[in-house]
Amino acid sequence: MEVWGFFLLGIFFFLALDLGVFNRKAHVISVREASIWTGVWVGMSFLFSIVVHWLYGTGKVDNVDALAPMDASIKYITGYLIELSLSIDNIFIIAVIFGSFQIPQKYQHRVLFWGILGAIVFRALMIFFGVALIKKFSFMTYIFGAFLIFTAIRMLVSKQKAFNPKNSFLYRNLRKVMPITSHMQGQKFFIKLRHITAATPLFIALVIIEFSDVLFALDSVPAILAITSDPFLVFSSNIFAILGLRSMYFFLSHMIDRFHHLKYSLVAILGFVGIKLILAHHYTFPEWVSLGFIALALAVGILASFRKERE
């Protein structure tokens, strides 16, 4: 429990440093600043694999699956890459939401900051119940695996439909339960209008982004459970991917349409981890196979996209 406590304290320390020091004043985050912070978070995420190796080597963390230190590190990195790759679609949805509600760029970081805090709580709950289900009911691996394969097939054959947040079920029902205004006063989520308190577009964008993250977690949590059911590895890889999502959004939001072939990488990854879950009781893939396949799928998708862009 001490390791969990220190990990959570470290995460909240970095978040407080982010909002209270580096982004205390609202400003437009440039591509250069976003690229630096993306590098920082990705670098920290990979360096944490060394911490994972030390924790599992010294027995500082509850090793529920009796993993060797190197296996634990590889599982963590593999899980992190899965979460990172599946977050690409989330970045696109976030860009659409901000555009729909006309959120100024200098206020977008604040919305994403509070969205991440909510995502941490929801992911923790989903991971807890997902791990508990797999531990208690072994047949859940077949259900999760089939769901991931179904998601991959649906992603492959379905046509991309334009997403309009203002037509969503959530937005329509929010309007029924609270006053909503199109006016904004700086970074405020709520403002006073005569005798009522109304939600600003910043708050509405935050709620819809939070809800979309929950929907994306329905894919990403089962996907990482195909790699490991160790709660600490699942949670830490998820959190590092979420923490890097903000800077990655500002880095990729202007060129997300260039990744034409990344969709097929995600299909391949979801299909692979779905098969891995279904075969979990019959065959165990070596750790390097899972990591190598996911890294290769991402690399091929990115390189193919850049090649098409130059043509």
Side-chain angles (χ1 to χ4, degrees), residues 204-254:
I204 304 305
L206 171 62
V207 173
I208 296 178
I209 286 173
E210 204 70 75
F211 184 73
S212 68
D213 181 76
V214 172
L215 294 180
F216 277 104
L218 293 177
D219 292 337
S220 65
V221 171
I224 196 173
L225 289 175
I227 304 302
T228 178
S229 59
D230 184 294
F232 184 75
L233 295 179
V234 175
F235 184 70
S236 58
S237 57
N238 249 274
I239 296 308
F240 271 109
I242 292 173
L243 288 173
L245 184 61
R246 289 166 305 158
S247 54
M248 192 170 292
Y249 161 76
F250 291 110
F251 179 62
L252 294 177
S253 59
H254 299 295

Side-chain angles (χ1 to χ4, degrees), residues 69-268:
M70 183 56 70
D71 286 343
S73 293
I74 295 177
K75 284 180 180 291
Y76 161 79
I77 294 173
T78 306
Y80 171 72
L81 288 178
I82 286 177
E83 296 303 315
L84 204 61
S85 60
L86 293 178
S87 68
I88 299 295
D89 272 357
N90 208 356
I91 289 175
F92 175 77
I93 294 297
I94 290 171
V96 172
I97 293 170
F98 281 152
S100 178
F101 292 102
Q102 299 180 342
I103 307 298
Q105 285 189 352
K106 64 179 181 179
Y107 301 142
Q108 291 177 4
H109 180 275
R110 176 176 169 82
V111 175
L112 291 178
F113 175 87
W114 292 107
I116 280 173
L117 287 181
I120 290 174
V121 175
F122 286 122
R123 291 292 179 101
L125 291 173
M126 294 183 74
I127 288 169
F128 173 80
F129 286 112
V131 170
L133 282 172
I134 281 185
K135 295 289 187 184
K136 189 171 181 64
F137 305 106
S138 59
F139 65 85
M140 288 302 299
T141 57
Y142 298 107
I143 295 176
F144 284 165
F147 174 73
L148 291 176
I149 292 174
F150 169 76
T151 302
I153 295 172
R154 186 182 61 184
M155 184 183 294
L156 182 63
V157 301
S158 64
K159 294 182 179 179
Q160 191 71 31
K161 295 181 180 179
F163 171 65
N164 187 348
K166 292 185 177 180
N167 292 334
S168 66
F169 171 83
L170 184 62
Y171 177 73
R172 294 199 307 269
N173 282 274
L174 279 174
R175 295 188 64 180
K176 295 177 182 178
V177 299
M178 67 171 62
I180 295 175
T181 178
S182 60
H183 300 291
M184 283 186 280
Q185 289 182 8
Q187 302 186 76
K188 293 182 179 179
F189 288 123
F190 296 92
I191 59 174
K192 282 279 188 181
L193 293 175
R194 296 181 181 177
H195 304 295
I196 63 170
T197 299
T200 67
L202 267 70
F203 179 76
I204 304 305
L206 171 62
V207 173
I208 296 178
I209 286 173
E210 204 70 75
F211 184 73
S212 68
D213 181 76
V214 172
L215 294 180
F216 277 104
L218 293 177
D219 292 337
S220 65
V221 171
I224 196 173
L225 289 175
I227 304 302
T228 178
S229 59
D230 184 294
F232 184 75
L233 295 179
V234 175
F235 184 70
S236 58
S237 57
N238 249 274
I239 296 308
F240 271 109
I242 292 173
L243 288 173
L245 184 61
R246 289 166 305 158
S247 54
M248 192 170 292
Y249 161 76
F250 291 110
F251 179 62
L252 294 177
S253 59
H254 299 295
M255 53 180 176
I256 192 69
D257 292 333
R258 297 180 184 177
F259 294 97
H260 308 281
H261 295 296
L262 201 58
K263 167 186 173 180
Y264 301 105
S265 297
L266 302 183
V267 169

